Structures are given as structure tokens and as C-alpha cells.
Amino acid sequence: MLKVVKFGGSSLASAEQFQKVGNIIRADQDRRFVVPSAPGKRFDGDTKVTDMLYGCYAAAEAGEDFSDKLKAIRARYDEIIQGLGLDLSLDDEFAVIAENFAAKAGSDYAASRGEFLNGKVMAAYLGYEFIDAASVILFDEDGSFAADETNKRMAKRLASCENAVIPGFYGAYADGRVKTFSRGGSDITGSIVARALKADLYENWTDVSGFLVTDPRIVEDPAVVEMITYRELRELSYMGASVLHEEAIFPVRKAGIPINIKNTNHPENPGTMIVATTSKRSKYTITGIAGKKGFVAVTIDKDMMNSEIGFCRKVLSVFEENQISIEHMPSGIDTMCVLVHQDEFQEYEQVVLSGIQRAVEPDAIEVVPDLALIAVVGRGMKETRGTAGRIFSALAHAKINCRMIDQGSSELNIIIGVSNDDFEKAIKSIYDIFVLTQM
Ligand code: ASP
């Protein structure tokens, strides 16, 4: 067995957390490749090292004195090094960083140092080889991740390694300039390393015991999902559920490697398995509930719309011309409804509306703001009668008006629209009926 293990920032925020991580790695000799994040928050109100680095670099870029800010960052690492009793000095690394900050090496370079330095500490702590991610993770000139090229290079580099630490979050362009993924991107690095090694498992260690059925800010102490497919996870993370960076699925999905979300503070918990496919049913018919607020529904009415060739295309091209992405499109016989993000739409509202007017001469256009979308996702829905019925009776009982319904053609999800104000109540009532009462 070969496992790639990625540890998030809260798992590596202090020497104490590092020790837990060390114990986890040493407990299983298959855990041979380690991807660390930068040190995260040690307590509520603390600042993540990545944010400290962005702040420090902003000062450098503005030509201000940034030495105190850099010292505070250094103190975070020194505290860990001392707490672990390591014989390691980061003098040379910090001298190079100070020089590069002064030379305005860019905010990606700056942010990436959080993982780079933590990788150095981790490698020293474990006695593993350190491999700079800039030498194995590549970006194309347009900034997109060069997946195949990276896979080849990474596989070749790691083939001869018994074990190694590869810092998360960044890579480099062909000319060596550092580039980061978006925030939370160490998850992607772990997935890339797992793919290159054809690992048996990608363990993603964090501070929760797995993927939760719904948002704990809305439902108190929600149940943990034992097993979820990549596709279900995609649907849920697209709709705002977060535990893993949404792009982290793609590399392992290509190689069919499962991901296990685990809790560094409770390693005994099984966590959540994310798999390509499974014959196991989810415990509650539904796998998860997620949603987002802040949508506008643009409803276009026109008699005999259906027989007008090119009608939809003309409407959609108006949105496209204004660079507005479309979220959903539930439609009727003589109506077409386009759901868009309110913040993207509002600036161009009048241009879009007059564009539609000109393009298709509708009988009426109605704009409804402040809508929330909720996705109820579950591979089990296909085979289970009455799922939609249960959702709508839950909403009716909670006196929530359902403004829109859209069942994905995959039968993997049902999307409902409610007003922003009903968002939390709607999620609670759906959770209650499927998980708490299991009716
Ligand atoms: N340290 C980076 C961030 O805070 C990347 C990561 O933790 O995955 O976003």
C-alpha cells in the first residue's frame, strides 16, 4: 500500500499539532509522501501564516519597512522548531525571502513561502526528503495548471524516493516563477502527488471528522457522511459545501484513487471516504444538502416561444455578451427562466434586459431578486420513491414557499429555490426529515 497524506493548516499550527501529525505518520508505514499546508490558526482570532505573508508582502510592495512583519512570521516557525526540539535553522531561507520581497518577487511567491518553510520543518522532523513543489508542479503561461506535464515530471522525480515531503499550494511556470493555486490549494497538490504515484489512497487530514451532511453553521452537529462519490461531492462543493478544494477531485478522479477525509485531532474516527463509485447506499437516502444565497431569476414570457427556433440561444447570448454565467434554467412552455448570481447581474441588469427585449421581443420579463438555491444530493435518490415528495412536504410544514424546482438529469440532485430569508429554515427542515426523523 502507498498513501499520500496531506495535512491542513490547523493540523500544523503549532508544535503540539505537529506532534499529532508525526504520530499519525509513524503509525502507518504506508504514509510515505506528505503534503503540508502552511501553519494555520492556533486559536480563534489567530492569523494564518499565509495571511501574514500576504500582509507582509503588501508592505514590501508599497515600499514600507516590512521587517517586523517578517519577524512575526519567523516567530511562528521558530516556535514550532523549538517545540519539536529540532536542530534546524531557517536563517538562510529567511534571508532569501527578505531579499526577494524587497525585489518585489510577487504575491504568489510570497504566499507560497508558508508551505515551503513548513515543508522544510516537516522534512526535518520526519527525516524525509524535501522536494520543492516549484520543481515538480507546472503551470502554463496562461496560468492554467499543466496537468499532464506535471504528472510526468512528478512521477519521474518521485519514482526513486522512499519517502518525501512536497509542500502544498504552489508550483511554477516554465521560467521558474512561482505560482500558487487559489486559496486552500494544498488539497490540489495532495491529489496531484497521489495521481503521480498511483497511490492506493489519498488521506486528507483536517480538523473535522469528515464531510458533514450539511453546514454546521445552520444545523447543529450534523451527521458525518461515511461515503460519497466524486460526483456527489462535486455537486455539493459547487453549491458551497467546503471541506476540500473543489479542484482537488480531478487528479485523483483520473486515476480512480479514493480520498479519505480524516481528523488530526481524532485519528480514530473513520472520516469520510470519497470514491469513484460504490454499491453502498448512503445511510439517509440523501448524501448531503448545500446551498447558496444571492441569485436573481430572470423570467421571460412569450406565447408560442417553443415554436420559435433559436429563442433560447438568442436569450442566452445576451447573458454571454455581458459575461454573466448562468446557474440554472428551469423552463415552462411559454416561459424561460434564467438564474444568475445577483452580484454579477446587477451591474449589467438594464443592458441585459434591453438586450433580451431586442433579441426576442418577449411579452413580459420579470426579475425576482434575493433567491437562494439549495441542492439536495444523493446517489440513492434514483432508486428511492418519494424523495422529492419528502423534500416538499418538509418545506410545506416549515411554511416555506418553494419558488423553483429543478431535478438534474442525472437524478443525483434536486435543486430548489427559496427566498434568501427562508434559506436556513429550509435546510434545517430538509435535514430533519431525512436525517433526524428518517421518515
Ligand atoms: N495556505 C494556503 C491557504 O491558506 C493553502 C492551503 O492551506 O491549502 O489558502
Side-chain angles (χ1 to χ4, degrees):
M1 280 275 263
L2 195 165
K3 295 177 186 169
V4 171
V5 288
K6 179 259 167 182
F7 291 89
S10 56
S11 302
L12 300 168
S14 63
E16 197 191 339
Q17 289 299 91
F18 255 82
Q19 268 153 357
K20 291 184 194 167
V21 167
N23 292 339
I24 289 167
I25 294 172
R26 291 187 197 105
D28 181 349
Q29 55 187 20
D30 298 333
R31 296 182 175 133
R32 285 170 38 207
F33 293 87
V34 182
V35 175
S37 283
K41 295 183 185 184
R42 291 159 295 182
F43 43 83
D44 273 354
D46 197 14
T47 311
K48 294 170 97 175
V49 164
T50 307
D51 292 315
M52 295 170 85
L53 284 160
Y54 279 122
C56 180
Y57 185 71
E61 204 170 34
E64 294 164 13
D65 177 13
F66 60 88
S67 53
D68 282 352
K69 289 193 163 69
L70 200 57
K71 265 192 207 136
I73 295 166
R74 168 116 200 218
R76 290 288 311 263
Y77 290 99
D78 284 344
E79 184 189 298
I80 295 171
I81 291 169
Q82 273 152 25
L84 295 173
L86 296 178
D87 180 21
L88 172 72
S89 158
L90 295 176
D91 283 349
D92 293 348
E93 283 77 8
F94 272 94
V96 174
I97 291 171
E99 216 171 275
N100 287 334
F101 273 34
K104 305 195 175 148
S107 64
D108 276 20
Y109 166 80
S112 75
R113 296 304 88 183
E115 273 68 11
F116 173 83
L117 293 164
N118 228 19
K120 290 267 174 182
V121 176
M122 179 66 91
Y125 177 51
L126 297 172
Y128 282 15
E129 183 179 349
F130 172 84
I131 296 177
D132 189 352
S135 67
V136 277
I137 293 191
L138 305 171
F139 287 89
D140 287 328
E141 214 27 65
D142 64 2
S144 55
F145 167 56
D148 292 335
E149 183 74 28
T150 296
N151 194 46
K152 270 189 232 138
R153 189 174 310 185
M154 176 90 76
K156 200 163 158 213
R157 177 69 183 82
L158 299 183
S160 56
C161 286
E162 188 48 37
N163 42 41
V165 174
I166 305 119
F169 191 39
Y170 70 94
Y173 292 105
D175 64 6
R177 265 176 310 131
V178 167
K179 158 127 184 77
T180 62
F181 292 107
S182 55
R183 295 298 304 263
S186 300
D187 287 340
I188 311 174
T189 309
S191 181
I192 293 168
V193 174
R195 178 187 172 201
L197 286 164
K198 300 195 175 67
D200 298 288
L201 185 65
Y202 169 25
E203 285 181 344
N204 187 293
W205 292 82
T206 174
D207 53 7
V208 287
S209 288
F211 191 82
L212 303 173
V213 172
T214 195
D215 189 338
R217 287 166 301 187
I218 299 175
V219 169
E220 208 189 311
D221 204 14
V224 172
V225 177
E226 286 167 13
M227 194 171 269
I228 183 169
T229 65
Y230 297 139
R231 286 179 62 203
E232 289 175 306
L233 186 72
R234 270 291 290 154
E235 302 274 353
L236 287 166
S237 46
Y238 180 70
M239 279 303 245
S242 69
V243 67
L244 196 69
H245 192 294
E246 59 175 352
E247 288 162 43
I249 298 174
F250 301 118
V252 281
R253 186 174 179 170
K254 272 211 171 95
I257 301 165
I259 309 174
N260 191 187
I261 308 282
K262 296 271 289 175
N263 189 343
T264 301
N265 304 315
H266 294 285
E268 68 287 358
N269 289 351
T272 300
M273 286 297 286
I274 307 169
V275 297
T277 178
T278 173
S279 59
K280 283 198 189 144
R281 287 179 164 258
S282 45
K283 202 163 156 192
Y284 309 109
T285 308
I286 60 156
T287 305
I289 314 160
K292 285 187 201 163
K293 287 184 183 179
F295 292 93
V296 174
V298 182
T299 307
I300 301 131
D301 281 314
K302 186 172 186 187
D303 285 344
M304 305 299 289
M305 161 192 299
N306 267 5
S307 53
E308 198 175 318
I309 292 172
F311 188 93
C312 291
R313 180 186 51 76
K314 287 180 206 158
V315 171
L316 296 183
S317 62
V318 178
F319 288 91
E320 186 182 346
E321 279 154 21
N322 289 285
Q323 295 285 304
I324 295 169
S325 61
I326 289 165
E327 197 69 21
H328 279 285
M329 247 178 47
S331 297
I333 304 288
D334 290 327
T335 60
M336 171 178 174
C337 176
V338 181
L339 274 140
V340 290
H341 288 268
Q342 196 149 332
D343 51 0
E344 259 179 45
F345 175 72
Q346 267 173 346
E347 198 185 330
Y348 301 100
E349 180 186 78
Q350 294 309 318
V351 189
V352 172
L353 297 181
S354 55
I356 296 174
Q357 190 67 43
R358 275 196 305 275
V360 293
E361 294 175 352
D363 298 333
I365 307 181
E366 192 195 4
V367 184
V368 180
D370 304 321
L371 288 178
L373 292 179
I374 298 171
V376 185
V377 175
R379 58 187 181 278
M381 291 193 323
K382 239 190 216 167
E383 279 94 39
T384 318
R385 263 180 301 130
T387 312
R390 285 159 77 191
I391 296 173
F392 299 118
S393 73
L395 294 176
H397 270 105
K399 300 195 169 48
I400 293 165
N401 184 14
C402 183
R403 313 280 292 268
M404 185 211 94
I405 307 164
D406 191 3
Q407 174 164 26
S409 45
S410 59
E411 283 187 69
L412 195 65
N413 63 6
I414 294 176
I415 296 188
I416 47 189
V418 298
S419 83
N420 275 349
D421 293 341
D422 285 333
F423 179 67
E424 284 84 5
K425 203 159 71 160
I427 289 189
K428 265 194 206 123
S429 62
I430 299 169
Y431 180 85
D432 283 358
I433 205 154
F434 284 100
V435 180
L436 289 189
T437 56
Q438 293 188 38
M439 270 175 47

